[in-house]
Amino acid sequence: MMNWRSLAAAFFGLALSLSFAPQTRAEGGAGPEAMSMGNMCMVMFGYDMIHITAFQPDKSRSEYCDEIPATGRTIMVFDLETPAFRDLPLELRIIRDPVTPITKDTDLEALTVLHLPAKKYTKGTFSLEHNFDANGHYIGLVTLTRDNGEQQTEQFKFRVGETLWAWVPQIAGTILIAGMVFVYWKHTHPSSKKKATETVAS
């Protein structure tokens, strides 16, 4: 006979882990375009990378990655970890996340909140400052122009301020917990009709 008490406890533990455990995320699509590790994001061009770290000096000394906690003045620092990138023009565009996939027909100008034209950063690092005035989801598009003129664009996603999507894991976990509690209660408290039937049968 299945041990429903143990099963319910197992599902309860799983729901708690979904609701409250830290999540390791890969940002920017299905491939290795960008990922986060701790408070540092990395935009990947194959096996080469650019590190990104965000600060809000008017609010705290903390470093942020894909979750910037509030609107306001934000500084983002880009470190070109691959020496060869220092001799390649690099363009950066930050847009509001259109929710739908970005294609060649997407009007980026209409979505753009910040644009840095292509430029070589020979020192291997550069920073930008922007005043985010609205909560929401954003996408950073980093474009490298190779020596042969070929352009390669990768992206990193980040959120500014609290949005509804930030609570999705907690909401899903709460629903799962409630479902498991209901199933357990139904199993341990048979209905009165079922009890009456069993009594007549005996």
Side-chain angles (χ1 to χ4, degrees):
M1 181 178 179
M2 182 179 295
N3 189 332
W4 283 91
R5 191 180 299 274
S6 299
L7 183 60
F11 275 110
F12 183 78
L14 174 62
L16 285 179
S17 66
L18 289 174
S19 301
F20 304 110
Q23 296 182 3
T24 301
R25 284 191 290 266
E27 302 290 347
E33 294 88 350
M35 63 182 69
S36 62
M37 182 173 65
N39 287 331
M40 183 177 290
C41 290
M42 297 177 286
V43 181
M44 305 297 296
F45 289 80
Y47 292 102
D48 299 318
M49 67 184 68
I50 298 176
H51 284 163
I52 307 170
T53 309
F55 305 87
Q56 290 192 313
D58 297 336
K59 295 180 172 61
S60 73
R61 297 182 179 180
S62 300
E63 299 179 0
Y64 305 106
C65 178
D66 56 348
E67 296 180 358
I68 299 174
T71 57
R73 186 167 74 101
T74 303
I75 297 173
M76 304 181 79
V77 179
F78 296 77
D79 294 311
L80 312 183
E81 296 297 321
T82 303
F85 285 1
R86 302 179 185 186
D87 296 321
L88 300 177
L90 185 150
E91 177 187 0
L92 175 67
R93 184 186 297 270
I94 294 179
I95 65 173
R96 296 186 301 276
D97 191 339
V99 181
T100 57
I102 297 174
T103 68
K104 62 180 181 179
D105 298 322
T106 301
D107 184 3
L108 295 180
E109 289 296 334
L111 299 170
T112 297
V113 298
L114 177 68
H115 179 223
L116 298 182
K119 177 183 176 180
K120 293 181 180 180
Y121 296 95
T122 56
K123 293 184 178 179
T125 185
F126 70 97
S127 63
L128 64 86
E129 181 176 318
H130 182 71
N131 183 34
F132 288 97
D133 57 6
N135 291 346
H137 292 256
Y138 296 84
I139 300 176
L141 302 173
V142 183
T143 301
L144 283 176
T145 302
R146 303 288 183 177
D147 290 331
N148 61 3
E150 179 185 354
Q151 290 188 330
Q152 181 180 356
T153 300
E154 304 297 352
Q155 61 179 261
F156 63 96
K157 297 183 179 181
F158 61 97
R159 185 179 76 235
V160 175
E162 290 291 342
T163 65
L164 176 62
W165 287 106
W167 295 97
V168 167
Q170 288 84 352
I171 294 173
T174 301
I175 293 174
L176 182 57
I177 291 173
M180 292 305 102
V181 170
F182 177 75
V183 170
Y184 177 72
W185 183 87
K186 288 287 289 183
H187 179 76
T188 55
H189 296 78
S191 65
S192 56
K193 182 178 179 180
K194 182 178 179 181
K195 288 182 178 180
T197 301
E198 291 176 348
T199 302
V200 171
S202 59

